[in-house]
Amino acid sequence: MDQIVTVAAVVLSAAVLISAAMSDWRRREISDIHWGVLFCAGIVLFSYRLFTEGSEPIAYLMPLSMALMGYDCTFDRESSGSYDLAIYILIAVTSVVPFVIVGGETASVYASIPVTYACMNVLYMLGIVNGGADAKAIIAISMVFPEYPTLFDLPLIPVPDAISARLFTPAFTIFFLALVLSLLCPVVCAIRNIMWGRFVVPQMFMGTVMDIERAKRSFVWPLEHVSDGEVVLGSSAVTADGVLDELESMGRKEIWVTPMIPFVVPIAAAFLITMVLGSPFLIL
């Protein structure tokens, strides 16, 4: 991309991700408008790339497939097996056909977008990625930056070769770097609990003790629940409704809780780090 276009893409993406991160932190809710903006930006940028390269008409099936992915991610609809299947088939066809026919570097760069889309959908269905906004954020980033942008002397870590760039795409780097950053949460929890003298494993790494009334107003899940008339301290979050009221009825004033981690916050931080530093995975 031209330097001006690259600067605009980075600034726009950073602004959208920071706005989304602030919303995730404050409300644990993010409007799909954020991802719609990035999807549109990615479609325009890739179409611009095809136009400047003088690509043949069949190549424009690529941005069409991106539009279908964006539609699938941002527009709520009644779940229908046949309708969803039709969308997935259209995405597959508009992705595979131009990739096979056009080929070349542009098609190779584009391939990271449907691959990221498919991977994030699978991770979401498996429950590995808990938030839909988290998956949408990574897919949106893959559309705007299917390859590493070069902005003046950045990133600091150069991409050694095309193969590495295809394996460790910006979306891949940002996702896994966000996972690493999110691991700071257990460290913070452990330090806080050690300061308060709470040495309960593994709960001391998962959360903290909180007043139950405060827990009702906070973005946390209880680690305790009522079973057979007794309070049980577990090692996983209890997401069922009414758990706090049950614990309160048992006379509990304070309980162990684990925070609802706003994952878009580390995604936004990972994006900024990647734009400046590059992919740490490329130096391993």
Side-chain angles (χ1 to χ4, degrees), residues 248-261:
E248 191 172 33
S249 68
M250 295 293 291
R252 296 302 301 272
K253 301 297 183 182
E254 294 183 331
I255 60 170
W256 277 94
V257 298
T258 185
M260 301 177 186
I261 298 176

Side-chain angles (χ1 to χ4, degrees), residues 12-268:
L12 175 64
S13 300
V16 170
L17 287 170
I18 291 173
S19 174
M22 292 173 63
S23 179
D24 201 16
W25 179 268
R26 293 172 179 172
R27 299 187 296 272
R28 297 305 192 274
E29 292 181 359
I30 303 174
S31 170
D32 279 341
I33 293 176
H34 293 85
W35 318 129
V37 169
L38 292 186
F39 289 142
C40 290
I43 294 168
V44 170
L45 288 173
F46 204 86
S47 298
Y48 172 74
R49 174 177 184 151
L50 294 176
F51 176 77
T52 56
E53 292 177 353
S55 300
E56 53 191 298
I58 192 69
Y60 287 89
L61 285 177
M62 298 179 192
L64 174 59
S65 72
M66 294 165 63
L68 290 170
M69 294 177 212
Y71 168 79
D72 181 49
C73 290
T74 55
F75 285 89
D76 293 329
R77 58 184 186 272
E78 293 294 331
S79 181
S80 170
S82 58
Y83 185 73
D84 291 342
L85 179 61
I87 291 177
Y88 297 146
I89 291 175
L90 281 173
I91 291 173
V93 171
T94 53
S95 297
V96 173
V97 170
F99 177 80
V100 172
I101 295 177
V102 177
E105 182 181 355
T106 298
S108 179
V109 169
Y110 161 79
S112 67
I113 299 173
V115 168
T116 301
Y117 167 81
C119 288
M120 296 312 299
N121 271 278
V122 170
L123 292 177
Y124 179 73
M125 292 176 183
L126 293 176
I128 298 174
V129 175
N130 292 320
D134 307 337
K136 294 174 186 178
I138 299 299
I139 295 170
I141 290 171
S142 76
M143 289 193 186
V144 182
F145 299 102
E147 61 182 348
Y148 291 93
T150 54
L151 186 60
F152 306 112
D153 293 327
L154 299 177
L156 298 177
I157 299 175
V159 180
D161 53 62
I163 295 177
S164 298
R166 302 297 177 264
L167 293 176
F168 301 100
T169 63
F172 173 93
T173 293
I174 291 166
F175 177 64
F176 283 95
L177 187 55
L179 289 176
V180 172
L181 293 175
S182 67
L183 293 178
L184 294 175
C185 185
V187 175
V188 173
C189 289
I191 293 174
R192 179 183 296 177
N193 288 316
I194 290 172
M195 292 176 62
W196 284 95
R198 304 185 186 112
F199 298 93
V200 182
V201 178
Q203 288 79 10
M204 64 178 291
F205 296 99
M206 300 175 61
T208 187
V209 174
M210 182 179 289
D211 181 87
I212 200 166
E213 289 299 325
R214 182 185 173 192
K216 291 180 178 180
R217 303 188 303 269
S218 303
F219 296 109
V220 296
W221 283 305
L223 289 171
E224 303 180 37
H225 66 281
V226 178
S227 178
D228 297 327
E230 296 184 357
V231 176
V232 177
L233 176 61
S235 58
S236 60
V238 182
T239 60
D241 296 332
V243 176
L244 293 177
D245 291 331
E246 289 183 357
L247 291 168
E248 191 172 33
S249 68
M250 295 293 291
R252 296 302 301 272
K253 301 297 183 182
E254 294 183 331
I255 60 170
W256 277 94
V257 298
T258 185
M260 301 177 186
I261 298 176
F263 193 60
V264 173
V265 174
I267 287 177

